[in-house]
Amino acid sequence: MYIDCFISGFYQGYFFKVEFQVSIFVGNLPFRAEREDILELFTPYGEVMNCSLPLERDTGRKRGFAFVEMADEALETAAIDGLQGTELMGRPLRINK
């Protein structure tokens, strides 16, 4: 009981602002796609802050999807709408937030 009162009194009056960067999920990527290929697709829509292609832990092989973070939410929306169904190396991309 003393701990609960101490914790609630300690945190009372403090506000924490947490910002989450929303990533764009790019699915159905060909396994031979590189980071540069994805950047080439997204840069016409605005500044790309981050782009990552996860690898399988055991084999080190690409997993067939990527995450892209852009500078602004409006740019992300424009990129998602503009690139939905675009083909990369013969495969139609699935792009979601």
Side-chain angles (χ1 to χ4, degrees), residues 13 39 42 66 79 85:
L39 290 174
F42 279 86

Side-chain angles (χ1 to χ4, degrees), residues 16 22 31 33 37-38 73 77 84 89 93:
F16 298 96
V22 177
F31 292 114
D37 299 321
I38 297 164
E73 191 170 340
T77 303
Q84 193 64 258
M89 301 176 190
L93 300 179

Side-chain angles (χ1 to χ4, degrees), residues 3 26 28 32 63 95:
I3 294 172
V26 183
N28 202 31
R32 67 181 190 269
R63 296 182 67 190
I95 303 175

Side-chain angles (χ1 to χ4, degrees), residues 30-35 53-56 60-65:
F31 292 114
R32 67 181 190 269
E34 297 292 333
R35 184 176 188 271
L53 283 95
L55 304 175
E56 288 185 13
R61 184 176 153 199
K62 294 179 191 121
R63 296 182 67 190
F65 62 89

Side-chain angles (χ1 to χ4, degrees), residues 7-54:
I7 291 173
S8 64
F10 180 73
Y11 287 110
Q12 188 174 10
Y14 291 95
F15 296 97
F16 298 96
K17 182 178 181 184
V18 179
E19 292 185 27
F20 295 101
Q21 181 70 29
V22 177
S23 293
I24 299 172
F25 173 81
V26 183
N28 202 31
L29 282 174
F31 292 114
R32 67 181 190 269
E34 297 292 333
R35 184 176 188 271
E36 291 77 23
D37 299 321
I38 297 164
L39 290 174
E40 188 177 310
L41 283 174
F42 279 86
T43 49
Y45 294 94
E47 183 183 359
V48 176
M49 302 299 289
N50 189 21
C51 176
S52 63
L53 283 95

